[in-house]
Amino acid sequence: MSLAMIIMAAGKGTRMKSDLPKVLHQANGKPVIEYVVETSRSLSPEHIVLIVGHQAERVRQATAHLPVRYALQEPQLGTGHAVMQAERPLGDFDGDVVILSGDAPLVTPETLQELIASHRNQKATATVLTAELDDPAGYGRVIRSPATGDVLKIVEQKDASEEEKAVREINSGVYVFDAATLFDLLSRITNDNAQQEYYLTDVFGICFREHRKISAFSASDPDEIRGINTPEQLREAEEILRKQR
């Protein structure tokens, strides 16, 4: 089956304490975004769409040598709004779409291959990459059916009950969807929330209400799902990337 990749690279990264777009910070002499694109390329997708926004031209220039298409998110109105921008560059693409974060360079091709295979084997509407963390504080929790292992809900830390906060399986923000289903679901979410933004995770609420199958695949190494939000996390990621390679 055909495959496309959407990489989110529109954010500011204010906690990096730098004017540089977060995805252009260097890890071992190479921009973080380049690792994510290289991993995407290793899966031989038909398309790689880079969602750009903050300092879009700077990100385009830094990635001009890479085989990507660009989608501009302007203004930036949330993660769901970001992915909506990929619909046009994907055109009439018919297949599965993997959504990645441009600031999370540690996920490996092997894990993504296993994630895609799991998605297809389960015949799921969407599949979430998860990880088990000793300290899951701050992450959205993945609540599964004890009977089937299917995902019953994805709940943000701030909305979680005490029982849900005790769950150690977290949402990595990496997903696989059938393309047509993804954009249909995105057309149905709203920005009726405090931030007035369109959240990608709101598509799961629709899926759960309509009893669609949402599956989860857990990464064997929790380090792979780490994002980079601070200079300290960038240094930690550099060390892990050195070991991976």
Side-chain angles (χ1 to χ4, degrees):
M1 185 183 273
S2 302
L3 186 68
M5 317 294 286
I6 297 173
I7 303 174
M8 314 269 249
K12 286 183 181 175
T14 47
R15 282 193 284 164
M16 294 300 291
K17 301 182 177 66
S18 163
D19 183 46
L20 194 66
K22 183 160 59 164
V23 297
L24 296 189
H25 281 267
Q26 302 256 324
N28 301 327
K30 195 158 62 175
V32 165
I33 187 65
E34 207 161 312
Y35 290 97
V36 184
V37 174
E38 283 177 2
T39 298
S40 298
R41 287 179 74 181
S42 72
L43 302 178
S44 303
E46 278 188 29
H47 308 291
I48 301 174
V49 179
L50 207 57
I51 312 288
V52 295
H54 176 64
Q55 295 195 33
E57 200 48 47
R58 201 168 175 180
V59 177
R60 284 178 195 260
Q61 288 170 358
T63 55
H65 62 294
L66 300 172
V68 299
R69 299 179 175 194
Y70 297 97
L72 179 64
Q73 185 193 20
E74 187 59 54
Q76 280 110 59
L77 299 175
T79 50
H81 180 254
V83 178
M84 288 175 196
Q85 311 314 308
E87 185 169 14
R88 183 173 292 171
L90 284 178
D92 56 2
F93 171 77
D94 181 25
D96 289 328
V97 175
V98 177
I99 300 172
L100 299 172
S101 296
D103 64 351
L106 302 176
V107 65
T108 63
E110 294 75 21
T111 293
L112 292 180
Q113 284 166 342
E114 291 173 351
L115 172 71
I116 294 161
S118 173
H119 173 74
R120 291 171 177 172
N121 291 338
Q122 296 279 335
K123 296 182 170 55
T125 295
T127 303
V128 185
L129 180 66
T130 68
E132 293 262 347
L133 299 186
D134 292 335
D135 178 12
Y139 286 94
R141 306 300 203 280
V142 175
I143 312 299
R144 296 196 195 221
S145 159
T148 65
D150 289 349
V151 179
L152 297 178
K153 77 194 277 199
I154 298 170
V155 60
E156 293 306 315
Q157 162 104 13
K158 61 180 176 8
D159 301 321
S161 67
E162 288 308 311
E163 187 179 2
E164 288 165 345
K165 284 177 187 170
V167 171
R168 290 172 43 224
E169 187 173 19
I170 62 96
N171 173 16
S172 72
V174 174
Y175 311 101
V176 189
F177 284 88
D178 165 71
T181 304
L182 170 63
F183 292 115
D184 171 60
L185 290 167
L186 284 169
S187 74
R188 297 162 60 193
I189 64 173
T190 71
N191 64 343
D192 185 17
N193 53 60
Q195 302 296 322
Q196 292 193 295
E197 292 188 346
Y198 296 90
Y199 297 125
L200 179 57
T201 46
D202 282 355
V203 302
F204 293 108
I206 298 171
C207 291
F208 297 136
R209 287 196 298 274
E210 296 180 354
H211 306 290
R212 296 179 184 236
K213 183 181 178 72
I214 305 298
S215 68
F217 177 81
S218 188
S220 55
D221 181 357
D223 277 342
E224 287 190 42
I225 61 93
R226 287 185 184 213
I228 294 170
N229 294 301
T230 66
E232 295 73 30
Q233 288 173 346
L234 179 60
R235 285 194 289 275
E236 290 166 4
E238 283 187 305
E239 188 58 39
I240 295 166
L241 285 165
R242 273 196 289 270
K243 288 176 184 168
Q244 282 183 351
R245 283 149 204 269

